[in-house]
Amino acid sequence: MSDGMETEQGPEAAAIVLRGVHKWYGQFHVLKNIDLTVQNGERIVICGPSGSGKSTLIRCINRLEEHQQGEILVEGIKLTDDLKRIDEIRSEVGMVFQQFNLFPHKTILENCALAPIRVRKMPRKDAEELAMQYLERVKIPEQADKYPAQLSGGQQQRVAIARALCMNPRIMLFDEPTSALDPEMIKEVLDVMIELAEEGMTMIVVTHEMGFARTVADRIIFMDGGEIIEDAPPQKFFEAPESERTKEFLAQIL
Amino acid sequence: MSEMYRAGEHPDLPPPVETSGVRRWLRANLFSSVLSSLTTLVLAGFILWILKSALIWGMLEADFFGASFRDCASAGACWAVASARFPQYWFGFFYPSAQYWRPLLAFALLSVAVAPWLSESIKYRRELKIFSLFYPLIALLLLYGGAGLAIVETDRWGGFLLTLVIGVVGIVASLPIGILLALGRRSEMPVVRTLCVVFIEIVRGVPLITVLFTASVLLPLFLPDGMSFNKLLRVLIMVSLFASAYMAEIVRGGLAAIPPGQEEAARAMGLGYWQTMGLIVLPQALRIVIPGIVSSFIGLFKDTSLVAIVGLYDLLGLTQAILKETGWMGVKIEAYVFIGAIFWICCFSMSRYAKHLEEKLKRGHV
C-alpha cells in the first residue's frame, strides 16, 4: 500500500470513508466491496443476520481486523500497517464491545483512567477527575472503587462507555452493546447511548435494537453475506426498503 | 391450591441449625461404618508407631555432638555429622572462616531485598525496591570481594550459600526470560515465534544433567583459546535458561486463559503492545498460573542439587564429600535427612507464600 501519510483535509472531510473494502478469513469472503462514508456527527446503525460481517466491518475501522483490499480512511488518515498511525487512530476512536471487556483486575476508576494516563500521558490526578466526570455522566460515580465483577452487566457496559469516552474520542463504535445484557438492563445502556447521540457524537452502532435505530439513527445499514444490502434513513428503511432480503429480515425481527 | 402467589409471602428465614462440630465430623469422616472405624484405628496405630520410632531414633537415642562417627555411641541417629560441620554446610569447605560475616550479611540483605516484592504493607516499599535492584551487585561484592574486600573465588563457595545463589539467580532470571519466551511463542512474527518454539522444545526435551555437562565440559571447547569463563557462571546461565523454558510454557498457559477481548479492548484504546501485555494481559495471566510458577521455582530450587554432578559443592555435593571422609564412614541417612530438612523448609515456605498470595489476589477482584 502507500506510505500511510496520505490525508484528505478540508471542512467537508468525512469521519470515516471505506472504499471497495474486501476481507477474507482464509477462504471465507467476509466483507465484499464495502463502500461507506460516515460524516462527522452522523449516527449509523448496522444490522443484519449473524455472520453477515457487521462486526467485522466496524472492527476493521480501528484495525482490530485487517482488510486485504480497498482503503479505509478515519478522520482523513489512511489505515495502513504503520503501527504509530494505528495507535493514533485508535486513541481517537472509542469502542464498546458486546462482552464489555472491562479489566477485571483494575477498579472501575482505574479502568477509566488507564488510557488517558498511559496514552495521553495525562497526570494521574487529572485523569481520575476526568474519569469521575464520565462516570457521573453514565450515572455510576458511586461504583468507582469497585471491581468490574461486583457490578451488574448494565453497569459494566456503562463503565465501558465511560472508559471509551475518557479518551475524548471523535468517533464511537458499538459492537452489539446490549446483546449480552439481561432484558431489564438494556434500557439503561441505550439511554446513555441516546444521550451521547444527542450531543452530536459520530457513532456507528451494530445492534438489533430496532427501537434505538428508529429514534437515533440518521441512516440504517442492512448487511447480509458480507455485503451492504440496504442503506437508508430509518423511515425509508422500515417503511419502504428496496431489497426483498431486507423486508424478509424486518419481518423476522419486528 | 389455586391461590395466587403474592410478593412478600416468603420472608427471609435463618439457615438451619449448624450441622458441624468435632464429634459430628469424626463420625462422618472417620467412624461412619464398622469398616471405616477399623481402617481408622489401623492407620492411626501405624502412624503412631512410625512417629514413635522416628522420635526414638532421631531424638531420644540420638547423638547430637561429636568430632567423628566414633563419638556416636548410641543406637540412634548421629547428628554430629551436621553439628560438627555446621558452618561448612552454610558456606562450603573452602570459604575462609574469617569472611563468614560476608555471606551472612548477604543472606540478611537478601531478605531485605526480597521483602518489598513479597509484601505490600511493608514500610519504605519504594526505597526497598530500589535497593533490591542494586542487591545483585551488593551480593556479588560481598560474596566475591573487591573494593577492599578480599577476593573469594567462586570455586570456594559451597553449601547452602551455593544452593541459594543458584536457586535465587535461576528463579529471578527464569521468570522474565520465560515471560519473553511465552510472548515470543505467541508472536505474529514468524522468526521470533520459530526461535522461541525451537528453544523451548529443545530445552524441554533434554535432561538438566546433560545441559550441565555440556556447559561444564563441552562449552569450553567451543570457545576461542584463552577465553574461559567461570564454571559457576556457566552453571547459572544453564540453570536459568533451562528453568526459563519450563516457565515459558507455564506462562503460555496463563496467557491462553485470558479472553482475547482483554487485549482487543486495550489495543482499541490506543495502548501499544508492551503496555497491553504489561498492564492488562500479563497481570491477569500470571495471577492464574501462580501455582505453576511456584511449582517451577520449587523444582528449580531442588534441581540445584544436580550441580553436584559437575563438581560443585552445593548442599548435596558437600554432603557427599563429607560422607566419603574416613571420620564419617557409617553415617548416611542423617546427613541426607539434614539437608533434606533444609530444602524442605525453603520449598515449603515458598509454597505457603504462594498460597497466601493466591488468596490475597482472589480477594482483590472478587
Side-chain angles (χ1 to χ4, degrees):
Chain A
M1 296 224 144
S2 73
D3 59 5
M5 303 299 284
E6 217 173 278
T7 52
E8 286 182 9
Q9 290 301 341
E12 300 299 314
I16 299 167
V17 178
L18 286 85
R19 280 193 208 113
V21 171
H22 289 264
K23 176 170 176 60
W24 289 262
Y25 287 128
Q27 292 296 311
F28 181 54
H29 200 167
V30 236
L31 293 180
K32 298 174 186 162
N33 195 27
I34 302 290
D35 285 308
L36 177 65
T37 303
V38 180
Q39 299 300 334
N40 272 308
E42 236 188 333
R43 277 98 46 175
I44 308 282
V45 164
I46 305 180
C47 59
S50 57
S52 59
K54 50 198 194 305
S55 285
T56 309
L57 174 63
I58 67 166
R59 289 160 61 87
C60 279
I61 293 171
N62 65 353
R63 198 72 163 181
L64 285 181
E65 307 277 355
E66 260 175 63
H67 60 285
Q68 284 116 355
Q69 249 180 51
E71 56 179 13
I72 301 179
L73 287 94
V74 178
E75 295 286 343
I77 303 171
K78 188 166 171 178
L79 278 184
T80 60
D81 288 328
D82 184 349
L83 288 174
K84 272 251 158 54
R85 293 237 127 182
I86 293 171
D87 282 343
E88 197 181 305
I89 287 171
R90 282 173 175 163
S91 65
E92 300 296 335
V93 180
M95 186 158 196
V96 175
F97 300 84
Q98 183 178 358
Q99 299 297 340
F100 329 138
N101 294 348
L102 295 181
F103 307 132
H105 61 303
K106 298 203 170 284
T107 63
I108 298 308
L109 190 66
E110 288 168 342
N111 262 279
C112 295
L114 182 78
I117 294 172
R118 300 289 173 166
V119 181
R120 295 261 190 262
K121 310 291 176 206
M122 197 184 272
R124 175 172 298 271
K125 207 172 145 280
D126 299 358
E128 286 178 353
E129 249 166 54
L130 181 76
M132 280 313 291
Q133 219 173 300
Y134 280 110
L135 286 175
E136 261 157 45
R137 263 188 61 179
V138 301
K139 301 180 185 67
I140 30 178
E142 71 282 359
Q143 312 284 1
D145 293 323
K146 290 196 182 163
Y147 286 91
Q150 292 167 294
L151 270 56
S152 73
Q155 290 174 323
Q156 289 193 47
Q157 194 60 299
R158 283 187 282 153
V159 171
I161 295 173
R163 179 174 75 172
L165 292 176
C166 279
M167 285 297 280
N168 203 11
R170 295 156 72 172
I171 300 167
M172 284 285 283
L173 307 174
F174 293 84
D175 188 1
E176 305 206 27
T178 56
S179 301
L181 294 176
D182 289 343
E184 281 181 318
M185 295 170 180
I186 292 178
K187 187 172 175 297
E188 65 186 58
V189 171
L190 290 181
D191 284 347
V192 170
M193 290 169 63
I194 291 170
E195 222 174 88
L196 201 57
E198 283 164 357
E199 287 162 20
M201 174 69 78
T202 312
M203 292 164 73
I204 303 187
V205 185
V206 172
T207 186
H208 294 127
E209 294 295 329
M210 287 303 131
F212 173 81
R214 202 188 282 269
T215 47
V216 170
D218 295 313
R219 275 153 64 199
I220 301 179
I221 288 171
F222 175 69
M223 287 184 74
D224 189 28
E227 292 172 294
I228 292 181
I229 306 276
E230 191 96 30
D231 179 347
Q235 202 176 359
K236 177 157 186 291
F237 183 85
F238 287 112
E239 279 150 31
E242 275 167 23
S243 118
E244 280 306 308
R245 182 68 188 88
T246 313
K247 284 177 198 157
E248 245 172 69
F249 178 77
L250 288 173
Q252 291 290 329
I253 62 164
L254 289 180
Chain B
M1 278 306 233
S2 62
E3 237 174 274
M4 293 255 283
Y5 285 110
R6 271 169 300 181
E9 223 170 41
H10 303 291
D12 292 342
L13 300 173
V17 187
E18 196 64 62
T19 47
S20 63
V22 181
R23 284 185 68 174
R24 195 174 267 275
W25 185 87
L26 283 176
R27 171 167 274 173
N29 293 291
L30 300 177
F31 301 101
S32 58
S33 67
V34 178
L35 186 65
S36 104
S37 309
L38 220 64
T39 319
T40 302
L41 289 176
V42 170
L43 283 178
F46 184 66
I47 291 169
L48 282 176
W49 179 72
I50 297 245
L51 282 178
K52 185 180 140 242
S53 321
L55 190 70
I56 292 174
W57 177 81
M59 300 287 287
L60 302 178
E61 293 185 5
D63 291 294
F64 289 90
F65 300 100
S68 74
F69 187 48
R70 258 172 303 154
D71 297 329
C72 292
S74 328
C78 180
W79 298 119
V81 69
S83 61
R85 299 304 194 84
F86 199 68
Q88 293 185 353
Y89 271 103
W90 295 111
F91 311 116
F93 290 122
F94 310 112
Y95 209 94
S97 50
Q99 311 288 344
Y100 279 170
W101 65 273
R102 281 159 52 180
L104 274 176
L105 184 57
F107 289 160
L109 290 179
L110 175 65
S111 49
V112 177
V114 166
W117 302 97
L118 300 189
S119 163
E120 275 180 2
S121 53
I122 200 160
K123 275 186 190 167
Y124 304 114
R125 189 158 181 238
R126 232 189 131 76
E127 290 79 359
L128 286 176
K129 276 188 173 175
I130 295 171
F131 169 74
S132 70
L133 294 181
F134 291 101
Y135 177 77
L137 279 177
I138 299 170
L140 185 67
L141 187 73
L142 280 171
L143 297 176
Y144 183 76
L149 292 172
I151 301 284
V152 182
E153 289 294 340
T154 54
D155 50 14
R156 311 186 73 159
W157 303 8
F160 183 71
L161 166 63
L162 191 58
T163 297
L164 199 65
V165 166
I166 301 170
V168 170
V169 169
I171 284 172
V172 171
S174 68
L175 188 58
I177 301 176
I179 289 173
L180 289 179
L181 284 169
L183 291 176
R185 193 167 185 167
R186 287 165 59 96
S187 163
E188 282 167 17
M189 290 176 276
V191 179
V192 174
R193 189 175 57 232
T194 314
L195 282 177
C196 291
V197 171
V198 167
F199 176 83
I200 292 170
E201 294 306 330
I202 287 181
V203 172
R204 290 207 311 155
V206 294
L208 178 56
I209 293 200
T210 60
V211 177
L212 290 173
F213 265 126
T214 316
S216 60
V217 182
L218 221 51
L219 207 59
L221 299 178
F222 295 149
L223 292 172
D225 281 344
M227 183 184 163
S228 71
F229 71 105
N230 189 293
K231 188 180 197 172
L232 177 60
L233 187 59
R234 276 177 283 167
V235 165
L236 286 177
I237 292 173
M238 287 304 165
V239 168
S240 303
L241 292 181
F242 191 83
S244 304
Y246 283 89
M247 191 58 71
E249 289 300 280
I250 294 170
V251 173
R252 190 163 70 103
L255 291 174
I258 304 303
Q262 291 288 307
E263 190 177 340
E264 283 173 4
R267 301 309 297 272
M269 296 193 303
L271 292 177
Y273 175 80
W274 292 107
Q275 285 180 322
T276 301
M277 290 300 145
L279 296 168
I280 306 302
V281 179
L282 279 172
Q284 298 181 58
L286 294 180
R287 189 170 296 189
I288 298 175
V289 293
I290 287 174
I293 291 176
V294 175
S295 289
S296 170
F297 284 171
I298 289 174
L300 165 68
F301 194 73
K302 292 189 294 183
D303 282 351
T304 58
S305 55
L306 289 171
V307 303
I309 288 174
V310 293
L312 291 180
Y313 291 106
D314 76 312
L315 274 177
L316 184 68
L318 183 103
T319 304
Q320 287 171 335
I322 290 176
L323 294 182
K324 280 191 195 123
E325 290 173 15
T326 43
W328 297 106
M329 286 288 182
V331 193
K332 265 246 140 64
I333 304 177
E334 294 86 339
Y336 288 119
V337 168
F338 177 61
I339 61 165
I342 298 178
F343 274 111
W344 183 80
I345 289 169
C346 294
C347 296
F348 188 65
S349 325
M350 282 194 254
S351 135
R352 295 313 300 183
Y353 175 73
K355 188 146 201 296
H356 158 78
L357 189 64
E358 267 177 71
E359 268 157 25
K360 195 180 78 182
L361 291 177
K362 213 183 287 168
R363 248 178 291 138
H365 61 108
V366 187

